[in-house]
Amino acid sequence: MAEGRARTPALAPAGLRRRVRRPWTGPPRAIIIPGPPARPPAARGSPGRAPMHEDHEANADMGEPLLRRRHSLAHVLAQAVREVRPDARLGFGPAIETGFYYDFLLETPLSDHDLAAVEERMRRIVREDQPFQRVDLPADEAVARLERMGEPLKVEWARELAARGEASLSFYENGAFADLCEGPHVSRTGEIAADAFKLDKVAGAYWRGDEKRPMLTRVYGLAFPSRDELDAFLEQRRLAEERDHRKLGRELELFAISPEVGPGLPLWLPHGTVVRDELEALARETEFRAGYERVATPHITRAQLYYTSGHLPYYQEGMFPPMRLEGEDDYYLKPMNCPHHHMIYAHRPRSYRELPLRLAEYGSVYRYEQSGALSGLLRVRGMTMNDAHIYCRPDQLEEELRAVVEMHRYYYDLFRLSSFWMRLSLHEPTDGHKYVEDPEAWAYSEGVLKRVLATLDIPHRARTGEAAFYGPKIDFQIRNVVGREETASTAQLDFAMPQRFDLAYIGEDGQPHRPYIIHRAPLGTHERFVAFLVEHFGGAFPTWMAPVQVAVIPVGERFLGYAGKVAAALRSHLLRAQVDDSAESLNKKIRRATVAKVPNVVVVGGRDEEQGAVTWRRYVSQKEQISLPLEAFVATVQALRAGRLMDNFADTELPKVG
RNA sequence: GCCCAUGUAGCUCAGUCGGCAGAGCACCUCCUUGGUAAGGAGGAGGUCACCGGUUCAAGUCCGGUCAUGGGCUCCA
């Protein structure tokens, strides 16, 4: 199913997005979701996060009233901006998932502070109930009109449309404002609810998305069918902010980013490191069962290796500049682990009998991300990834690939990430510069990927031009309960590296053959995955991952001894227990443990000590509590850990012990 | 890298017209010794991101730099 309009599982209810002809005022691929989204768009992750690129493919039904209103609001916005800044030239102004935007070419960009005045004028225009009038012109007349209007960007676009064979182009006019636009629009501005839209923010955007072209000022607006829905969106956005991994990461002391160390280079604090360690333990076990072997490789490497791999010709802008050494090769920080793993494969001759060879490493890599791209833990310059490379024979490729996809599914089930889909990234045959040249290999490997995906019951979409330079890939897009969607991991099929590194195995026939390589990283990077989980869990980890698994709170100083005994019993089983021995009140201690989202709190006092028991209170259920013997409690927590139960979800059944 | 915004105590944030640096929480000390989400009192803590300029005087005005946030581009 390689169609762009693939099933859109769980992410957006089927049928919500439909293909549509592009509105002329909109950039190619406007994003449109008519009607209130099934899941509030705020849920889309952190506030103000741009609509997903994925949605650019999914256009919608032009007949929808909401779309008409949003698109019309884009015109009204342009009209209002024109009043404030007559020099503004028009770019594109489409409806988007949460409203609309319009791009303007301006001598001096607008600022956030100009928005109130613009919005005021927009409301006035809406109140004036101006009629929208469509005017169709032959293409050449349309171009001439735009030239008279002094709209260079629109002229460019109209010429392009004409060149594509559009015989006639339409304008929409309302009041004193006219814009090249396919429509449709509301018939009068009065059809727009004046209290259901709100200007959101200004941003920069390159004309036609091309960084070599002028930077335009983009004004984003929110627009919904009603005031209530707008308010609901804003509330959702606020709730997402509460779960933002940067906020929770600071509050829970998971990580810190210090300018002294460098942007995009997070420091993992003790609590965050526990989470990483648990993820690594999970990966180690899972990979061991799946027949992987662990390896370890250095962080810096001679330049020559990256000429061999092709990183220097194809990926140099993504790498930190080299370390220069007198009389020696340059050294580079590694941006990927693959070349090292290939060298491990190649360190001695390989037999077909030892394939597939699966080499795994939680490896740290460094990439030079543009400063403007950095964002919390989601986009960093130093990251540690759940990497592995599978070297296999052609006849094993399909099975290995399927196993890789299944491993993803296993993890997603475990973490209760029910919303995920895959993007099959294929190469763009006409773009020779971006990809290693080998048409046959591209065709073959892309064919295998498509075949494997075709047999799996996981939704996917194909996209051209997004392959890695050395082969096609599958990106796993996951969405958490807050609605943040991220590329969690990537599985790549690689036919180029075996050639570049001259990797071989001796086959049954005694002759050397090329292996295939699968690159995979189901848990992605610690940075992105932990950030994602923090938001998914709202900072409340399951017992097995929690930095502090059990907080032990004595009801009074007299019971500190017993509290210590309880904690010691837990620690002897390698459970992370902490006694609150502060001088605070009992209520305060419970509050502190709760605010820290510790999954299990045990309160101990005279009653408990007499019976050798604890009173157990859980984060998920709060007030509910039970009293049980210490041994039973320890065994229960052990079972929670051993089973990696997601006891941070209220519907998870607790293990029965003894 | 480009556009916009922001930067005051560990955190969240006040600080008016340029005129002595503020609050709550957290932290420390003392009192309180308790049965399920903030007991009480006191204390300490700031080169107002950094550099420069204007001014008798700058947290406040201007310029630059750095960082963060939101976009664009790019990607795990």
Side-chain angles (χ1 to χ4, degrees):
Chain A
M1 171 141 137
E3 289 302 307
R5 47 187 306 199
R7 292 167 299 185
T8 321
L11 300 178
L16 201 58
R17 302 169 185 182
R18 266 158 279 168
R19 184 148 292 248
V20 89
R21 282 184 69 199
R22 165 181 312 155
W24 289 345
T25 39
R29 302 167 175 172
I31 307 148
I32 287 131
I33 294 187
R39 188 193 294 265
R44 245 330 128 76
S46 80
R49 188 149 286 262
M52 298 180 302
H53 290 202
E54 297 316 323
D55 287 349
H56 283 258
E57 291 187 331
N59 285 349
D61 191 317
M62 291 298 271
E64 277 292 333
L66 179 60
L67 168 70
R68 286 169 182 267
R69 287 194 289 252
R70 284 176 170 164
H71 192 185
S72 300
L73 274 165
H75 280 227
V76 172
L77 165 61
Q79 194 177 353
V81 166
R82 267 295 182 56
E83 292 182 12
V84 182
R85 305 282 286 270
D87 66 313
R89 302 295 96 185
L90 304 178
F92 288 131
I96 54 172
E97 195 184 356
T98 56
F100 57 94
Y101 70 76
Y102 215 113
D103 288 342
F104 305 98
L105 180 61
L106 288 159
E107 278 301 313
T108 39
L110 286 165
S111 129
D112 294 358
H113 306 298
D114 301 319
L115 255 35
V118 174
E119 191 175 305
E120 196 48 48
R121 285 161 192 270
M122 287 178 70
R123 292 192 204 288
R124 194 206 70 228
I125 292 164
V126 166
R127 275 197 309 272
E128 283 173 2
D129 198 21
Q130 302 175 358
F132 270 95
Q133 185 71 42
R134 179 177 171 126
V135 178
D136 286 283
L137 291 178
D140 55 337
E141 284 180 35
V143 170
R145 179 176 182 187
L146 290 165
E147 278 171 343
R148 282 196 304 277
M149 288 163 68
E151 292 291 354
L153 305 179
K154 291 287 186 187
V155 168
E156 177 189 322
W157 180 233
R159 286 207 171 113
E160 227 175 280
L161 289 170
R164 274 185 218 171
E166 300 278 353
S168 151
L169 301 179
S170 60
F171 287 78
Y172 272 84
E173 303 174 353
N174 63 300
F177 183 77
D179 191 6
L180 176 73
C181 178
E182 186 181 37
H185 284 283
V186 294
S187 56
R188 314 184 65 88
T189 57
E191 290 171 28
I192 299 163
D195 61 353
F197 75 89
K198 179 181 190 324
L199 290 185
D200 197 20
K201 61 203 167 187
V202 307
Y206 297 110
W207 169 236
R208 313 291 298 270
D210 183 346
E211 60 186 332
K212 291 179 194 67
R213 314 205 60 183
M215 173 65 66
L216 308 180
T217 300
R218 174 171 298 178
V219 178
Y220 281 98
L222 303 171
F224 292 92
S226 67
R227 171 67 183 271
D228 285 351
E229 281 158 277
L230 173 62
D231 287 346
F233 171 85
L234 293 171
E235 175 64 8
Q236 278 296 323
R237 181 191 269 190
R238 200 189 58 73
L239 291 175
E241 270 173 47
E242 288 299 306
R243 285 183 173 236
D244 190 287
H245 76 276
R246 288 162 294 203
K247 177 179 156 73
L248 289 171
R250 186 167 49 237
E251 289 172 0
L252 303 176
E253 298 197 65
L254 299 174
F255 69 96
I257 294 177
S258 134
E260 283 81 2
V261 174
L265 299 171
L267 298 169
W268 288 89
L269 307 176
H271 285 179
T273 306
V274 167
V275 175
R276 284 171 55 117
D277 287 347
E278 291 294 345
L279 284 173
E280 288 188 25
L282 169 68
R284 260 201 313 275
E285 290 171 28
T286 308
E287 287 162 6
F288 178 83
R289 289 199 179 92
Y292 289 67
E293 298 171 271
R294 282 166 40 79
V295 296
T297 62
H299 288 199
I300 65 169
T301 294
R302 300 169 68 166
Q304 184 51 52
L305 189 70
Y306 295 119
Y307 284 113
T308 304
S309 68
H311 282 90
L312 281 174
Y314 293 103
Y315 193 72
Q316 190 161 20
E317 75 287 353
M319 294 168 69
F320 274 93
M323 285 164 264
R324 291 254 136 91
L325 297 161
E326 291 235 359
E328 282 192 56
D329 252 15
D330 288 350
Y331 277 73
Y332 282 89
L333 275 166
K334 69 174 170 185
M336 295 183 190
N337 300 303
C338 9
H340 292 96
H341 291 184
H342 303 338
M343 297 312 290
I344 289 173
Y345 178 92
H347 93 282
R348 67 164 169 77
R350 298 290 179 179
S351 154
Y352 73 96
R353 293 173 184 278
E354 54 184 319
L355 301 187
L357 183 69
R358 308 180 188 90
L359 303 180
E361 172 178 17
Y362 243 110
S364 294
V365 298
Y366 297 87
R367 300 182 185 173
Y368 188 78
E369 295 292 341
Q370 296 186 332
S371 59
L374 300 175
S375 175
L377 287 183
L378 292 172
R379 185 153 237 63
V380 293
R381 287 177 173 168
M383 69 210 91
T384 300
M385 61 193 304
N386 173 221
D387 216 355
H389 295 90
I390 300 170
Y391 301 81
C392 66
R393 305 191 303 258
D395 62 293
Q396 296 168 325
L397 189 58
E398 203 161 318
E399 191 190 329
E400 288 302 310
L401 204 52
R402 185 163 294 125
V404 163
V405 173
E406 290 301 333
M407 189 182 285
H408 281 78
R409 204 191 324 235
Y410 164 74
Y411 286 135
Y412 297 163
D413 285 347
L414 174 66
F415 290 110
R416 295 203 183 194
L417 298 166
S418 53
S419 276
F420 59 93
W421 59 281
M422 297 183 200
R423 178 180 40 229
L424 178 56
S425 291
L426 308 173
H427 82 306
E428 170 57 62
T430 59
D431 195 349
H433 292 294
K434 251 177 96 179
Y435 308 103
V436 292
E437 213 174 328
D438 192 341
E440 277 177 36
W442 280 103
Y444 176 71
S445 59
E446 292 186 349
V448 170
L449 276 183
K450 286 178 186 168
R451 211 160 52 239
V452 168
L453 285 190
T455 66
L456 288 168
D457 189 28
I458 299 183
H460 62 279
R461 294 182 205 159
R463 287 178 58 103
T464 319
E466 301 207 343
F469 69 82
Y470 49 78
K473 62 178 182 178
I474 305 174
D475 288 315
F476 294 79
Q477 299 294 121
I478 56 177
R479 179 186 281 221
N480 62 20
V481 297
V482 189
R484 170 151 359 229
E485 178 171 307
E486 288 292 341
T487 300
S489 79
T490 298
Q492 276 159 347
L493 208 162
D494 181 357
F495 55 82
M497 291 303 153
Q499 290 170 28
R500 301 188 73 99
F501 282 86
D502 196 23
L503 302 183
Y505 64 90
I506 305 301
E508 263 179 299
D509 58 2
Q511 300 300 310
H513 298 273
R514 280 278 178 249
Y516 278 84
I517 301 175
I518 298 168
H519 304 242
R520 41 108 283 171
L523 297 178
T525 61
H526 278 323
E527 286 69 21
R528 186 169 286 182
F529 203 75
V530 170
F532 192 84
L533 284 184
V534 164
E535 296 181 5
H536 185 52
F537 294 154
F541 288 101
T543 296
W544 68 274
M545 301 183 83
V548 176
Q549 295 171 311
V550 181
V552 184
I553 299 177
V555 300
E557 202 178 358
R558 288 194 295 133
F559 308 106
L560 263 177
Y562 183 60
K565 202 179 135 195
V566 169
L570 291 159
R571 287 208 202 96
S572 73
H573 290 95
L574 303 181
L575 292 166
R576 298 179 287 269
Q578 224 165 57
V579 176
D580 188 341
D581 58 359
S582 66
E584 303 293 347
S585 64
L586 174 63
N587 280 347
K588 184 65 167 287
K589 289 176 184 174
I590 286 168
R591 177 179 158 78
R592 269 211 293 224
T594 307
V595 168
K597 302 180 196 288
V598 175
N600 305 286
V601 172
V602 293
V603 176
V604 294
R607 297 205 292 267
D608 304 279
E609 183 163 16
E610 282 164 29
Q611 301 163 21
V614 296
T615 302
W616 180 25
R617 169 192 171 113
R618 294 177 41 70
Y619 181 81
V620 273
S621 49
Q622 292 301 315
K623 300 254 187 245
E624 293 170 34
Q625 56 178 347
I626 59 169
S627 185
L628 74 175
L630 175 56
E631 302 76 50
F633 175 68
V634 174
T636 304
V637 181
Q638 277 183 283
L640 282 171
R641 175 185 58 188
R644 294 198 170 95
L645 299 182
M646 301 309 281
D647 61 322
N648 50 342
F649 289 87
D651 60 352
T652 295
E653 220 172 294
L654 295 176
K656 294 269 179 291
V657 176

